[in-house]
Amino acid sequence: MAGAFIEASCFKAANFPPEDSNLPEIAFAGRSNVGKSSLINALLNAKLAHVGGTPGKTRSINFYRTIINDINIRLVDLPGYGYASRSKTERNEWLKLVSAYISQRKNLILTCHLVDFRHGLLANDKELQEWLNNYKRDIFVVFTKADKIPKGKWRGTMQNYIMTQGVFSVNVPIITSTESKNGKRAGVDELKSFIAEFISSKLQA
Ligand SMILES: Nc1nc2c(ncn2[C@@H]2O[C@H](COP(=O)(O)OP(=O)(O)OP(=O)(O)O)[C@@H](O)[C@H]2O)c(=O)[nH]1
Ligand SMILES: [Mg+2]
């Protein structure tokens, strides 16, 4: 991907950038601290999204523009859910903002649901999946922080989640890490290819 930039950082739906049928959007959702902003930076190959040590770093919906396989797209960083110190007012704000996006956004063609590979889907991850399903949104599960699990256990861990957790995903989930090992970040290139293929198949449909 080349030529990446941030297009908008929105605390309300009225500020979302205009819908443009030539700009398919891939959203990134998941618990706070799961690694959404880090993965977006890895995909953009730029440090545009703020990464935080404390959960709740990204509070706005952030729209990033990039080009993948000659197609202009937006990567959309959604604020995370599920951290304990959040007040009821903050939770309501989150719900209002994120549901405005999920329920109405015509440009949204795929939501990558990021799940910490150490934990699998927790109760609020299942709620998110049900919510997206209710809106007939396509979900793609992306496991994060795989560097925290020995590589020899990756296949078994994923198979266990798939068998026991009723995971909704348009394809077999991808296992990723944004920690680089010998200059390589696990799963990032695969995710890029998947996004490119998914967009092409949707544009042809
Ligand atoms: N070990 C490891 N740490 C990671 C990885 N990805 C992200 N992190 C760390 O996890 C923390 C949270 O990362 P973010 O990318 O800010 O997470 P987020 O999902 O955007 O969080 P919110 O904006 O709070 O919802 C940071 O300290 C990152 O450095 C990874 O693949 N491996
Ligand atoms: Mg973030």
Side-chain angles (χ1 to χ4, degrees):
M1 294 193 196
F5 64 95
I6 180 158
E7 191 177 10
S9 180
C10 308
F11 289 90
K12 20 179 168 159
N15 298 336
F16 292 167
E19 299 236 47
D20 178 335
S21 55
N22 295 322
L23 279 173
E25 291 176 3
I26 310 289
F28 293 77
R31 291 167 60 82
S32 289
N33 223 39
V34 73
K36 298 174 293 297
S37 300
S38 303
L39 191 60
I40 285 179
N41 282 338
L43 291 169
L44 296 173
N45 212 5
K47 283 188 179 155
L48 293 176
H50 296 291
V51 168
T54 47
K57 183 78 183 169
T58 311
R59 301 293 185 101
S60 48
I61 297 187
N62 295 321
F63 295 79
Y64 298 92
R65 279 275 286 278
T66 190
I67 300 166
I68 172 168
N69 285 12
D70 294 330
I71 305 167
N72 280 295
I73 65 165
R74 287 184 179 127
L75 302 183
V76 182
D77 195 0
L78 299 176
Y81 49 84
Y83 64 97
S85 61
R86 183 178 276 200
S87 69
K88 205 170 173 188
T89 318
E90 282 174 316
R91 248 173 261 174
N92 286 338
E93 289 294 315
W94 181 92
L95 191 64
K96 205 167 125 189
L97 183 65
V98 179
S99 69
Y101 180 78
I102 298 290
S103 67
Q104 289 160 26
R105 194 76 178 167
K106 291 188 209 75
N107 281 25
L108 173 61
I109 63 161
L110 180 68
T111 301
C112 292
H113 178 199
L114 274 57
V115 177
D116 192 316
F117 200 38
R118 292 168 296 181
H119 308 135
L121 277 77
L122 303 181
N124 47 16
D125 290 310
K126 293 190 176 176
E127 272 174 45
L128 177 84
Q129 292 219 328
E130 278 167 30
W131 199 42
L132 291 167
N133 276 329
N134 284 340
Y135 286 112
K136 305 217 173 344
R137 294 301 197 179
D138 281 330
I139 304 168
F140 181 53
V141 171
V142 176
F143 290 110
T144 64
K145 307 194 182 183
D147 55 282
K148 302 272 192 184
I149 297 212
K151 202 160 184 185
K153 293 191 175 165
W154 284 11
R155 266 183 69 135
T157 303
M158 180 152 90
Q159 255 152 13
N160 179 38
Y161 292 147
I162 291 172
M163 305 269 283
T164 61
Q165 295 200 308
V167 178
F168 284 101
S169 184
V170 291
N171 211 317
V172 179
I174 280 181
I175 300 169
T176 68
S177 166
T178 57
E179 293 280 300
S180 63
K181 254 193 189 157
N182 313 323
K184 278 280 291 171
R185 291 162 162 154
V188 173
D189 288 342
E190 287 92 325
L191 178 56
K192 245 185 232 182
S193 306
F194 179 80
I195 289 172
E197 278 164 33
F198 191 85
I199 291 172
S200 303
S201 71
K202 284 282 164 177
L203 293 181
Q204 279 159 19

